[in-house]
Amino acid sequence: MSTTHGARARARIEVTAAIKEEARRQLAAEGAARLSLRAVARELGMVSSALYRYFPSRDDLLTALIIDAYDSLGESAEAAHEPAADPFERWTTVCEAVRGWALDHPHEYALIYGSPVPGYTAPDATVPAAARVGLLLIGIARDAHRDPELARPPLADELRPEAERMAADLAPDLPPAVVTALVAAWAQLYGLVGFELFGQFNRVVEERETFFRYAVGQLARGVGLVPTHR
């Protein structure tokens, strides 16, 4: 790469980062529904036509912010994960990392797990980043269920066809009952975090860290991460 091309590439990276940073500031101040490319350009002292060379539309900018948020969350969970620990502790540590990231990045959490942005549909490009935490939890369950002493979660007969479909899509090597419990736990994890972040626990739960650890422990038991003798 020539010196000129290298300088241009670095400049593009820097401008892209500045655009995203200003967009995140606007998310915090105005919410995702009011994000505007023109407003971002104005705050950065750019003409709108110049910004469109980086992000052709508001949706392209939103997608970039969403992928960045999912990747940041995934990186935090993966960094906290201790593969050598027992599955119950691995599960708890990952869930606590999700909560910690959300409390540190409330507006980005709201972007990916809050109300849908009117007129925006997330493209398939967001899926790999969005799946990182889920895949980590699946991996913990996969390792745990190599232990023959683990009891499988119960599965209602009427749910079996849906459970088998989910297992085929998400983790064919795990029993459908375990995959069903994982999907339920995944939804409940983000429900717990969202209730705390968005104020639904006000005047209800005071010792929130302690409560969260208890709740995710119950989720781990529901997935079958505790040997029957424990």
Side-chain angles (χ1 to χ4, degrees), residues 3-20:
T3 302
T4 301
H5 286 167
R8 287 176 179 171
R10 287 193 298 273
R12 185 173 184 85
I13 291 171
E14 291 171 1
V15 173
T16 299
I19 292 169
K20 288 180 179 180

Side-chain angles (χ1 to χ4, degrees), residues 84-121:
D86 72 73
F88 185 87
E89 284 303 318
R90 290 166 64 190
W91 174 277
T92 302
T93 300
V94 167
C95 291
E96 288 178 331
V98 169
R99 174 179 178 265
W101 183 90
L103 294 178
D104 289 340
H105 303 84
H107 303 294
E108 291 170 78
Y109 186 88
L111 176 64
I112 55 178
Y113 288 114
S115 300
V117 180
Y120 173 80
T121 301

Side-chain angles (χ1 to χ4, degrees), residues 66-212:
I66 288 168
I67 290 172
D68 283 355
Y70 277 130
D71 274 333
S72 178
L73 172 58
E75 288 165 8
S76 293
E78 290 160 5
H81 180 227
E82 292 287 351
D86 72 73
F88 185 87
E89 284 303 318
R90 290 166 64 190
W91 174 277
T92 302
T93 300
V94 167
C95 291
E96 288 178 331
V98 169
R99 174 179 178 265
W101 183 90
L103 294 178
D104 289 340
H105 303 84
H107 303 294
E108 291 170 78
Y109 186 88
L111 176 64
I112 55 178
Y113 288 114
S115 300
V117 180
Y120 173 80
T121 301
D124 290 344
T126 61
V127 172
R132 289 174 70 165
V133 173
L135 290 175
L136 195 56
L137 296 176
I138 288 172
I140 293 170
R142 179 179 291 118
D143 290 347
H145 279 276
R146 293 192 177 103
D147 182 348
E149 293 190 33
L150 288 189
R152 293 182 183 179
L155 180 64
D157 289 341
E158 62 269 22
L159 187 57
R160 182 164 296 279
E162 177 66 1
E164 290 174 349
R165 184 200 61 78
M166 288 192 292
D169 287 345
L170 300 173
D173 56 330
L174 282 173
V178 174
V179 175
T180 303
L182 273 168
V183 172
W186 170 71
Q188 291 172 77
L189 167 62
Y190 289 110
L192 285 165
V193 174
F195 262 48
E196 179 174 0
L197 198 63
F198 303 135
Q200 281 88 351
F201 279 157
N202 291 350
R203 299 186 179 181
V204 178
V205 179
E206 297 296 335
E207 297 293 335
R208 293 178 185 172
E209 184 173 349
T210 303
F211 177 81
F212 182 83

Side-chain angles (χ1 to χ4, degrees), residues 37-54:
L37 288 183
R38 291 183 180 275
V40 171
R42 182 173 60 249
E43 291 299 321
L44 294 176
M46 300 173 63
V47 296
S48 298
S49 57
L51 191 146
Y52 291 140
R53 292 199 292 270
Y54 294 86

